[in-house]
Amino acid sequence: VTVIQPQVQDMPIQVELNGSVVPLRVVDVRSQISNLVREVLIKEGQTVQQGQPMFLLDDRNDRANVEKLRATLARDRALGADQDRQLGRAQELRKQNFISQGSLDTTTAQRDAQWALVKSDEAALAAAEVALDYNTIKAPISGRTGVVSVFPGPLVQPNAAALVTVTQIDPIAIQFNLPESQFARLQSVQNQQVLVTATVPSSKASFKGEMYFVDNNIDIANGTIRVKARFPNAKGDLWPGQFVQTRVE
């Protein structure tokens, strides 16, 4: 007979549920302009980092347009500087009453119009640089690529099918439905850390995560509320769509 001293202490309430792995973010990558694909820089199933170039489009026309607008801006800035000098001379002449006030006003208006044109050139150049940047399609998030649907040569358009889908793998989420009978307990600990343990039935591997999302309504069809927990997944052991067994503490 084993004898122990009885103690009074809190015991965790654990609820076991079936869940499924879902990505935190999934992005369908599309072109923002109509252009020809010049180069594909990624492979299917490749891990990419946010901002990494994935596709290059034919940017020759947009690049030439940027250079043209830069030259126009440089010309108009030079004319603006000349207008400043002319206005300075006109002001000196006006002080000596060699020209009329009307002539000075005309020179001032010409100077202001020239610098307004410079601002217009700067805006046009900024828009052209954005259009040029659209020719390099970059990864919007860090994750794993799916099927690449284009190759060098074809025309891509904004309203066409996605070029590739990028799915975030690390961190990842597990979604499960908590019974309505546990909702009161869930509300009492929403501002605290709620631990969730996930187990993959095929491998018996266990993972630790933390609840971060509770849906804003209870499903009246089955009397459950949707909950999500976030899990670190650097090794990719959890995969989107995978079935897991969860234990909420």
Side-chain angles (χ1 to χ4, degrees):
V1 178
T2 301
V3 179
I4 63 171
Q5 181 68 32
Q7 298 178 6
V8 178
Q9 64 181 29
D10 291 336
M11 295 295 292
I13 299 173
Q14 296 181 341
V15 182
E16 295 190 359
L17 303 161
N18 293 329
S20 59
V21 181
V22 294
L24 292 175
R25 292 188 293 174
V26 179
V27 179
D28 291 335
V29 179
R30 290 181 170 86
S31 173
Q32 294 182 272
I33 57 175
S34 296
N35 209 340
L36 297 175
V37 178
R38 180 164 59 88
E39 191 174 353
V40 178
L41 304 177
I42 60 170
K43 298 179 181 179
E44 296 177 340
Q46 177 182 340
T47 299
V48 296
Q49 301 300 318
Q50 184 176 8
Q52 176 181 338
M54 298 192 297
F55 302 93
L56 297 180
L57 306 183
D58 186 2
D59 62 353
R60 291 174 295 178
N61 183 62
D62 291 326
R63 193 174 297 278
N65 188 40
V66 167
E67 294 301 323
K68 175 183 176 181
L69 290 173
R70 283 176 179 168
T72 300
L73 176 60
R75 180 200 63 190
D76 289 341
R77 280 177 174 168
L79 292 175
D82 181 63
Q83 289 288 344
D84 286 340
R85 291 189 293 269
Q86 291 187 30
L87 178 60
R89 289 192 291 268
Q91 289 172 340
E92 291 297 327
L93 292 174
R94 176 55 189 158
K95 291 179 182 179
Q96 302 174 22
N97 290 324
F98 287 149
I99 61 173
S100 66
Q101 182 63 40
S103 297
L104 177 61
D105 293 342
T106 299
T107 304
T108 302
Q110 291 174 347
R111 192 282 305 268
D112 293 343
Q114 184 61 38
W115 283 111
L117 181 60
V118 169
K119 289 186 176 296
S120 176
D121 292 341
E122 290 173 345
L125 177 59
E129 288 174 339
V130 171
L132 177 62
D133 189 61
Y134 286 160
N135 289 282
T136 302
I137 301 176
K138 303 175 182 178
I141 61 173
S142 298
R144 187 180 177 91
T145 61
V147 176
V148 179
S149 61
V150 296
F151 301 94
L155 177 70
V156 293
Q157 296 178 335
N159 57 354
L163 308 180
V164 70
T165 299
V166 180
T167 302
Q168 181 177 343
I169 301 297
D170 181 32
I172 207 164
I174 290 179
Q175 176 180 291
F176 51 90
N177 293 330
L178 194 70
E180 184 180 355
S181 59
Q182 301 291 340
F183 181 63
R185 288 172 174 166
L186 183 63
Q187 278 189 310
S188 66
V189 296
Q190 271 193 333
N191 295 327
Q192 305 173 24
Q193 184 184 44
V194 179
L195 300 179
V196 180
T197 303
T199 303
V200 180
S202 58
S203 64
K204 300 301 180 181
S206 182
F207 307 92
K208 300 288 185 180
E210 182 180 345
M211 187 180 71
Y212 76 95
F213 168 78
V214 178
D215 207 350
N216 58 4
N217 67 86
I218 296 176
D219 190 343
I220 60 175
N222 51 29
T224 61
I225 186 168
R226 182 168 52 181
V227 180
K228 292 182 180 180
R230 183 185 288 107
F231 289 76
N233 193 37
K235 296 182 179 180
D237 296 318
L238 297 173
W239 212 250
Q242 189 175 23
F243 170 80
V244 292
Q245 294 174 334
T246 61
R247 184 172 67 251
V248 185
E249 184 174 307

